[in-house]
Amino acid sequence: MGRVGSGLVVAGVTAGGMALRRVLRAVAPGPAHGGLSRERWLVVTVALPLEEVAPQGRWPEPLAALGDRVEVRVRPAPGDKGTELAARLREATPGGLPGAAARWTGEDPQQELRSALRRSKQLLEVGEVLEVEPAPHGHRTATPGGALLEKVTRLAGREGRL
Amino acid sequence: MRALCWTGVNETAVETVEDPRLLNAEDIILKVTLTTSCGSDLHLVGGYIPFMRAGDVLGHEFLGEVVEVGPAVRRHKVGDRVVVCSFVSCGRCWYCRQQLFSLCDNGNANPAITEALWGFAPGGCFGYSHAMGGHAGSHAEYVRVPYADQGAFTVPDGVDDTTALFASDAAPTGWTGADLGGVGPGDVVAVWGAGGVGQMAAAAAWARGAERVVVVDRLANRLQQAEQHVGAETLNYEECDIGAELRELTGGRGPDVCIEAVGMEAHGAGPSYLYDQVKQQLRLQTDRPTALRQAVHACRKGGTVFVLGVFGALADKFPLGAVMNKGLTLRGAQMHGHRYIPEILERMAAGTLRTAHLATHVMPLEQGPEGYRMFKDKEDGCVRAVFRPHG
Ligand SMILES: NC(=O)c1ccc[n+]([C@@H]2O[C@H](COP(=O)([O-])OP(=O)(O)OC[C@H]3O[C@@H](n4cnc5c(N)ncnc54)[C@H](O)[C@@H]3O)[C@@H](O)[C@H]2O)c1
Ligand SMILES: [Zn+2]
Ligand SMILES: [Zn+2]
């Protein structure tokens, strides 16, 4: 298999390809977020007691930054697992093609919320958000597979099952 | 700096890349003294885990000297000689508090990929693709280590570099298998695979009090190492009927704990191996579970099978009936190294754990591509190709 394009072929056919397709399918046009008339609660569990997750009812900064666009609630997680931090958008995000386009370009409000929840959890648990870029790397041959993976990687902090 | 990069399926090259820098307050920058190939890299290099981009720096098992520390680092200072756990873990999330460090919630900045693949995202690993967090690998002159107070461990004086290197990944992986596989006094333990990981699983089984330890492979030099350096009995699966040998050895019961340290590219004999290879090449299955099937069959009733070998997604003809009807416990994990590295370093210092023999081929980083080829083909008795980035 030659160097150019091999990334794409492999990505298209293996387990990873499956996952890639699933990530992509998740951003494809369809009923908005499971066809609900309102948005689902997105929830992360933070390994801290409730008082530390929302001291005096204050939400962590990334969630607070979303202001009135989100509803937020917290409750203790069972089994000493910490605090469940849940949030949902007050307004349903567009479904169909416009919704898919927004997700693909990373402008979907639901993605913004997902990212805010993940960052809130990390800020609370470790005090900062883990960065990986810029990471040292060698020459990036321009292949369609590489471009696709770069795109998926860029969305990967904002997408997912959360 | 110079770094060994993945450039395409079964291709690597040494290239000049940017130096790493501190990105988070808890980071250190390490000047890499030794960094080694691991069986896991073969799955990556061969394209079985296709979340690599051309140019990604490989390597996750390494040791070096601290040259820069972030403002929030407490346990390390410039000049320290440290070995680093291959997994990146925060030490504070619920999983880390349960000592399930490779499941850390805060070590992988790209969770969507493995969430789509497996339902939830495990933690991040150095040099192990964008699915495992996109952390640059250690086959380079310098590497950035996040959460350094958690993942970097000072090497005791008196433990040489080559020995300590394997406290990074191979040894704690073996410890993960024996410990979470529940090995205890009186157990007969069988280990499939006599690579670095299998040998360390056998050593860990002794450390947990096993009565007998048997290692299965077909490569004579590796079996010989398992006998000489780990004190295990060995079986060559090309020369005997493994199931029958193990029954004979265990009074007809079967091993109490079976540890699979082979992974998704297992070699095998007979028509089922051909079937697996064809299916894998047609991508109808992603993993070849030859050794795992044998382990499940050989295991005693009510015993434990531990999957240390890396699997990516789907395996075919998995003997689920045997798992259910024999009442087996089936467990797997990426290594929870942070949990075992202190004990491993103590054993190295006390001279009760030998690892340096795994470094069969030590070479400058510039020879990395050749090292990987030898390691992949197990040429010239290569067990681990180890690189010296600074000559
Ligand atoms: N769980 C973890 O955190 C972790 C960490 C490191 C490595 N690993 C995995 O552990 C596995 C072994 O790693 P390694 O570095 O020792 O690899 P390696 O390639 O050096 O060794 C694998 C060994 O398995 C033998 N083998 C192949 N087919 C076999 C079969 N059917 N029966 C018995 N033996 C067979 C090979 O001859 C070889 O000696 C790999 O899958 C690797 O990805 C897992
Ligand atoms: Zn490894
Ligand atoms: Zn953690």
Side-chain angles (χ1 to χ4, degrees):
Chain A
M1 206 181 295
R3 174 184 295 208
V4 177
S6 61
L8 177 67
V9 175
V10 170
V13 291
T14 58
M18 246 168 40
L20 265 182
R21 280 202 299 277
R22 251 188 257 175
V23 176
L24 295 176
R25 198 179 312 135
V27 282
H33 309 296
L36 299 176
S37 54
R38 52 164 185 75
E39 295 300 345
R40 242 179 225 295
W41 289 96
L42 301 183
V43 196
V44 292
T45 299
V46 181
L48 289 171
L50 206 139
E51 324 73 85
E52 291 178 48
V53 172
Q56 286 104 45
R58 272 184 288 110
W59 307 127
E61 188 273 317
L63 277 181
L66 297 176
D68 287 343
R69 292 166 53 210
V70 291
E71 278 175 82
V72 183
R73 67 180 189 201
V74 285
R75 66 173 184 208
D80 262 345
K81 290 192 175 70
T83 303
E84 296 173 3
L85 174 61
R88 74 173 169 193
L89 294 166
R90 286 184 200 276
E91 260 177 51
T93 41
L97 217 49
R103 293 182 81 178
W104 186 240
T105 52
E107 288 157 12
D108 171 83
Q110 196 82 351
Q111 291 177 336
E112 204 182 337
L113 178 55
R114 214 177 269 119
S115 162
L117 276 168
R118 288 189 176 131
R119 281 182 290 124
S120 298
K121 172 177 159 74
Q122 267 193 34
L123 286 171
L124 287 162
E125 288 183 345
V126 301
E128 57 179 342
V129 176
L130 179 71
E131 302 290 342
V132 283
E133 297 290 340
H137 64 80
H139 180 62
R140 300 261 195 234
T141 30
T143 64
L148 186 62
L149 181 52
E150 183 176 331
K151 180 80 196 175
V152 167
T153 305
R154 218 178 299 130
L155 288 176
R158 306 163 71 79
E159 278 293 341
R161 298 207 332 148
L162 170 61
Chain B
M1 65 171 182
R2 300 289 281 167
L4 180 67
C5 303
W6 184 83
T7 53
V9 175
N10 289 323
E11 291 175 28
T12 59
V14 180
E15 298 186 28
T16 298
V17 309
E18 295 280 295
D19 285 356
R21 47 185 168 93
L22 300 172
L23 298 176
N24 285 105
E26 300 183 29
D27 290 357
I28 59 177
I29 303 290
L30 208 65
K31 179 178 178 188
V32 180
T33 314
L34 290 176
T35 177
T36 177
S37 58
C38 162
S40 298
D41 297 330
L42 297 177
H43 314 321
L44 272 188
V45 172
Y48 293 89
I49 300 173
F51 293 100
M52 294 292 282
R53 287 200 60 200
D56 285 346
V57 181
L58 289 164
H60 59 262
E61 186 164 18
F62 59 104
L63 154 141
E65 182 195 326
V66 178
V67 291
E68 244 183 287
V69 295
V73 175
R74 298 286 168 268
R75 280 175 48 190
H76 300 291
K77 55 180 192 320
V78 170
D80 283 1
R81 186 171 65 124
V82 299
V83 63
V84 177
C85 182
S86 55
F87 264 79
V88 175
S89 312
C90 77
R92 283 149 284 182
C93 70
W94 186 80
Y95 290 98
C96 284
R97 289 186 191 175
Q98 306 307 304
Q99 305 229 303
L100 301 170
F101 291 98
S102 66
L103 305 180
C104 176
D105 275 339
N106 298 312
N108 182 345
N110 304 325
I113 300 175
T114 45
E115 283 180 6
L117 195 50
W118 302 318
F120 292 97
C125 178
F126 291 95
Y128 215 73
S129 89
H130 296 272
M132 298 303 262
H135 299 280
S138 59
H139 293 343
E141 291 178 65
Y142 298 91
V143 65
R144 169 227 176 193
V145 176
Y147 302 128
D149 279 342
Q150 311 294 330
F153 297 81
T154 302
V155 179
D157 293 338
V159 178
D160 66 89
D161 288 348
T162 315
T163 297
L165 170 64
F166 300 103
S168 171
D169 187 61
T173 300
W175 254 253
T176 302
D179 192 41
L180 300 189
V183 174
D187 282 344
V188 180
V189 178
V191 179
W192 276 256
V197 172
Q199 290 191 37
M200 289 301 110
W206 287 132
R208 289 290 176 270
E211 180 80 20
R212 274 183 103 156
V213 180
V214 188
V215 175
V216 180
D217 204 307
R218 74 191 164 105
L219 300 173
N221 68 302
R222 291 178 173 223
L223 291 173
Q224 197 267 334
Q225 281 197 338
E227 285 171 21
Q228 186 187 338
H229 299 282
V230 186
E233 296 167 70
T234 60
L235 294 172
N236 186 328
Y237 66 83
E238 285 189 327
E239 290 169 4
C240 68
D241 174 343
I242 295 296
E245 292 283 344
L246 286 173
R247 283 193 300 278
E248 201 175 311
L249 239 125
T250 56
R253 300 182 305 275
D256 301 286
V257 180
C258 294
I259 300 177
E260 195 274 4
V262 175
M264 64 205 242
E265 293 173 69
H267 164 267
S272 73
Y273 178 56
L274 199 65
Y275 168 90
D276 281 329
Q277 265 202 320
V278 169
K279 282 203 82 165
Q280 196 173 31
Q281 260 144 36
L282 294 174
R283 311 297 172 184
L284 296 174
Q285 72 176 348
T286 58
D287 303 324
R288 277 195 318 257
T290 323
L292 183 57
R293 285 187 197 124
Q294 199 169 61
V296 167
H297 268 285
C299 193
R300 78 153 163 82
K301 293 185 284 183
T304 296
V305 175
F306 200 95
V307 187
L308 270 184
V310 165
F311 290 85
L314 306 174
D316 215 3
K317 288 206 176 357
F318 181 75
L320 189 56
V323 174
M324 188 272 157
N325 289 286
K326 286 203 294 177
L328 299 183
T329 300
L330 179 66
R331 192 168 179 180
Q334 295 279 5
M335 51 94 79
H336 302 309
H338 304 65
R339 177 169 176 169
Y340 305 111
I341 292 173
E343 173 190 339
I344 286 164
L345 288 172
E346 273 171 36
R347 286 179 185 272
M348 287 172 165
T352 54
L353 174 62
R354 279 151 73 171
T355 54
H357 64 279
L358 300 174
T360 49
H361 294 71
V362 184
M363 58 191 79
L365 182 65
E366 294 296 325
Q367 288 170 26
E370 174 64 3
Y372 266 95
R373 197 192 54 69
M374 292 181 74
F375 176 51
K376 179 180 163 62
D377 298 341
K378 316 301 188 218
E379 187 182 298
D380 187 37
C382 185
V383 176
R384 283 278 198 266
V386 175
F387 311 119
R388 283 184 277 103
H390 297 272

